[in-house]
Amino acid sequence: MTAAGTQTSTRDRLLDAFETLLKDGGSRAATLDAVASAAEVSKGGLLYHFPSKDDLVAGMLARIHEMGDADVARMRTAECGPVDFYLQTSVDTGSPFDRALIAAARIAQESPGSPEGQRARDTMARLRQGWFEVLAEHLGDDSLARTVQLIGDGLYFDDITGLAHGGSLDHVRDTLRRLGAL
Amino acid sequence: MTAAGTQTSTRDRLLDAFETLLKDGGSRAATLDAVASAAEVSKGGLLYHFPSKDDLVAGMLARIHEMGDADVARMRTAECGPVDFYLQTSVDTGSPFDRALIAAARIAQESPGSPEGQRARDTMARLRQGWFEVLAEHLGDDSLARTVQLIGDGLYFDDITGLAHGGSLDHVRDTLRRLGAL
DNA sequence: GTCTATATCACGATAGAC
DNA sequence: GTCTATCGTGATATAGAC
């Protein structure tokens, strides 16, 4: 946060690498060695910025919080409306936010009992709360809002698990139009 | 498969322990030591039945295939209808099948690139295909069937990730009744 | 079929030079 | 702020006794 330029700091490069490894290879692949190597930094260099793996996770989650607030704001004012915006962003578009979200979901599941896992879950719960509020406000119907959110979760799950189907988004739009939600 | 009695074989006890550890602690907790210990067998005993961790995963997936075929059969003839049956079984009821499914989902996500991950994904894809066929046949509408399936995926994702909401199932039923799907 | 070693290796983390 | 070198631990897997 010291410069406004486009050059990414070592710190951000490390977090980027961590997220990418988590997304593509799961938590077992996201070792400190692998992160350092992918970011083209030595392990010692990594551990200067993040003294432990916990700190790496914490740094990642902190970045997500910032991006999450911006995402909710965009959702509110999206031209296509909040519902379609939500659905569109529930499939992995390859954006940095999606990458970070998938990485967080991996942490949440791969360490169900650990403190890091709990923090990742808290982060996701907060994001989901923000999205739900916009959906419920826009739709004026909690049941419908919750259903839309679950559909988004389903789209996310399929992407994350590698089960995604091509036409799913169109099928959902079709159904939601019948409900007057789109 | 030698006896029809109720006493569980060592083999099955090991698979049970593996699934439980995967569900409760993620793949990092499901080590060979932990599995052997939880099943009250020595590590050598485990490795007699499953010479490698890969074999443990393969054994688990094989059991899922059997249970999956039985589940689809029950779904077809369920008194409450296939849709509600599908939704009910999309939240973790604590059944052996749910436990196995959650375990498979963890493997699929924690080793996205590895052969085991691919096999887990194949298993899940096959199960989903079975469920989808019943839903589409019953509803006579691919878009609606795909939407119901995504809602089920969403319910599953929330459970798996520890994000589940109490009233989600009722909200969904409410919405699906409006669509004439329930 | 089940057990007790034990080999091998990779992971997270520390120490200290530059 | 970044590096190399190294320690301690815990994971998979092997060998061979019972």
Side-chain angles (χ1 to χ4, degrees), chain A residues 28, chain B residues 18 21 26-37 46 53 56:
Chain A
R28 295 189 100 115
Chain B
F18 184 46
L21 283 161
S27 81
R28 295 190 100 116
T31 66
L32 296 185
D33 278 285
V35 171
S37 169
L46 189 170
K53 204 168 187 182
L56 201 52

Side-chain angles (χ1 to χ4, degrees), chain B:
Chain B
M1 280 297 182
T2 49
T6 55
Q7 80 184 12
T8 52
S9 64
T10 301
R11 209 188 126 89
D12 276 321
R13 281 209 335 274
L14 286 163
L15 290 176
D16 291 346
F18 184 46
E19 288 174 357
T20 299
L21 283 161
L22 234 25
K23 183 189 172 196
D24 295 342
S27 81
R28 295 190 100 116
T31 66
L32 296 185
D33 278 285
V35 171
S37 169
E40 292 180 304
V41 176
S42 74
K43 194 149 56 158
L46 189 170
L47 288 163
Y48 166 77
H49 291 283
F50 303 100
S52 76
K53 204 168 187 182
D54 256 52
D55 295 313
L56 201 52
V57 173
M60 184 184 83
L61 295 179
R63 265 201 341 185
I64 289 182
H65 274 118
E66 295 172 32
M67 289 192 279
D69 292 341
D71 185 73
V72 168
R74 255 181 291 134
M75 181 177 170
R76 265 185 214 284
T77 61
E79 207 180 330
C80 57
V83 174
D84 201 63
F85 180 89
Y86 174 73
L87 293 175
Q88 275 179 43
T89 54
S90 289
V91 299
D92 177 21
T93 60
S95 73
F97 189 43
D98 281 333
R99 186 189 58 193
L101 244 39
I102 294 172
R106 297 246 197 267
I107 295 287
Q109 287 187 54
E110 302 183 8
S111 326
S114 73
E116 317 139 50
Q118 188 54 51
R119 264 176 291 157
R121 237 165 294 130
D122 289 345
T123 297
M124 295 183 70
R126 202 192 123 178
L127 287 167
R128 286 169 50 76
Q129 180 61 22
W131 294 324
F132 179 76
E133 278 167 17
V134 179
L135 288 174
E137 201 177 302
H138 175 78
L139 292 167
D141 178 337
D142 276 18
S143 286
L144 190 52
R146 193 59 80 189
T147 302
V148 170
Q149 184 153 57
L150 283 168
I151 291 171
D153 290 340
L155 288 166
Y156 229 92
F157 175 70
D158 289 358
D159 260 341
I160 284 177
T161 319
L163 260 41
H165 251 273
S168 290
L169 192 51
D170 289 329
H171 281 314
V172 167
R173 283 197 179 110
D174 206 46
T175 306
L176 287 180
R177 260 190 287 271
R178 274 187 254 169
L179 281 163
L182 250 182

Side-chain angles (χ1 to χ4, degrees), chain A residues 78-91:
Chain A
E79 209 180 328
C80 55
V83 174
D84 201 62
F85 180 89
Y86 174 73
L87 293 175
Q88 275 178 42
T89 55
S90 290
V91 299

